Short mmCIF file of all heavy atoms in Angstrom, two decimals:
data_model
loop_
_atom_site.label_atom_id
_atom_site.label_comp_id
_atom_site.label_asym_id
_atom_site.label_seq_id
_atom_site.Cartn_x
_atom_site.Cartn_y
_atom_site.Cartn_z
N GLY A 292 6.91 -4.85 -10.08
CA GLY A 292 6.38 -4.71 -8.72
C GLY A 292 5.33 -3.61 -8.63
O GLY A 292 4.78 -3.16 -9.65
N GLU A 293 5.05 -3.24 -7.39
CA GLU A 293 4.10 -2.14 -7.16
C GLU A 293 4.74 -1.14 -6.21
O GLU A 293 5.51 -1.51 -5.33
CB GLU A 293 2.84 -2.69 -6.48
CG GLU A 293 1.80 -3.18 -7.46
CD GLU A 293 0.61 -3.78 -6.74
OE1 GLU A 293 0.24 -3.28 -5.66
OE2 GLU A 293 0.07 -4.76 -7.27
N LEU A 294 4.37 0.11 -6.37
CA LEU A 294 4.86 1.12 -5.44
C LEU A 294 4.23 0.88 -4.08
O LEU A 294 3.06 0.48 -4.00
CB LEU A 294 4.49 2.52 -5.93
CG LEU A 294 5.15 2.99 -7.24
CD1 LEU A 294 4.57 4.33 -7.67
CD2 LEU A 294 6.66 3.08 -7.07
N SER A 295 5.01 1.11 -3.03
CA SER A 295 4.45 0.97 -1.69
C SER A 295 5.21 1.88 -0.72
O SER A 295 6.28 2.38 -1.06
CB SER A 295 4.53 -0.49 -1.22
OG SER A 295 5.89 -0.87 -1.20
N GLY A 296 4.63 2.07 0.45
CA GLY A 296 5.28 2.92 1.46
C GLY A 296 5.32 4.37 1.03
O GLY A 296 4.35 4.91 0.50
N LYS A 297 6.48 5.01 1.27
CA LYS A 297 6.61 6.43 0.93
C LYS A 297 7.32 6.58 -0.42
O LYS A 297 8.37 5.96 -0.63
CB LYS A 297 7.42 7.15 2.02
CG LYS A 297 6.69 7.21 3.35
CD LYS A 297 7.34 8.23 4.27
CE LYS A 297 6.63 8.33 5.59
NZ LYS A 297 6.89 7.16 6.48
N VAL A 298 6.76 7.39 -1.27
CA VAL A 298 7.26 7.50 -2.64
C VAL A 298 7.65 8.96 -2.93
O VAL A 298 6.86 9.87 -2.66
CB VAL A 298 6.17 7.05 -3.64
CG1 VAL A 298 6.66 7.20 -5.08
CG2 VAL A 298 5.73 5.61 -3.36
N LEU A 299 8.86 9.14 -3.43
CA LEU A 299 9.29 10.47 -3.87
C LEU A 299 9.36 10.48 -5.39
O LEU A 299 9.98 9.61 -6.00
CB LEU A 299 10.67 10.80 -3.29
CG LEU A 299 11.22 12.19 -3.63
CD1 LEU A 299 10.35 13.31 -3.03
CD2 LEU A 299 12.66 12.35 -3.16
N CYS A 300 8.71 11.46 -6.01
CA CYS A 300 8.74 11.57 -7.46
C CYS A 300 9.60 12.77 -7.84
O CYS A 300 9.41 13.86 -7.31
CB CYS A 300 7.33 11.77 -8.02
SG CYS A 300 6.22 10.47 -7.52
N GLU A 301 10.52 12.51 -8.75
CA GLU A 301 11.54 13.51 -9.10
C GLU A 301 11.28 13.98 -10.52
O GLU A 301 11.44 13.21 -11.47
CB GLU A 301 12.89 12.79 -9.00
CG GLU A 301 14.07 13.64 -9.06
CD GLU A 301 15.36 12.79 -9.01
OE1 GLU A 301 15.31 11.55 -9.00
OE2 GLU A 301 16.42 13.41 -9.00
N GLY A 302 10.86 15.23 -10.67
CA GLY A 302 10.56 15.75 -12.00
C GLY A 302 11.82 16.07 -12.78
O GLY A 302 12.87 16.33 -12.22
N ALA A 303 11.69 16.03 -14.09
CA ALA A 303 12.76 16.52 -14.97
C ALA A 303 12.18 17.64 -15.81
O ALA A 303 10.98 17.68 -16.05
CB ALA A 303 13.26 15.39 -15.86
N GLN A 304 13.04 18.54 -16.26
CA GLN A 304 12.60 19.77 -16.92
C GLN A 304 11.61 20.50 -15.99
O GLN A 304 11.62 20.24 -14.81
CB GLN A 304 12.00 19.49 -18.30
CG GLN A 304 13.01 18.89 -19.30
CD GLN A 304 13.09 17.38 -19.24
OE1 GLN A 304 12.08 16.70 -19.15
NE2 GLN A 304 14.29 16.85 -19.30
N SER A 305 10.77 21.38 -16.53
CA SER A 305 10.01 22.23 -15.61
C SER A 305 8.75 22.80 -16.25
O SER A 305 8.53 22.60 -17.44
CB SER A 305 10.89 23.38 -15.15
OG SER A 305 11.98 22.85 -14.44
#
Side-chain angles (χ1 to χ4, degrees):
E293 272 177 35
L294 294 174
S295 60
K297 293 195 179 74
V298 178
L299 182 65
C300 304
E301 191 182 4
Q304 296 88 43
S305 297

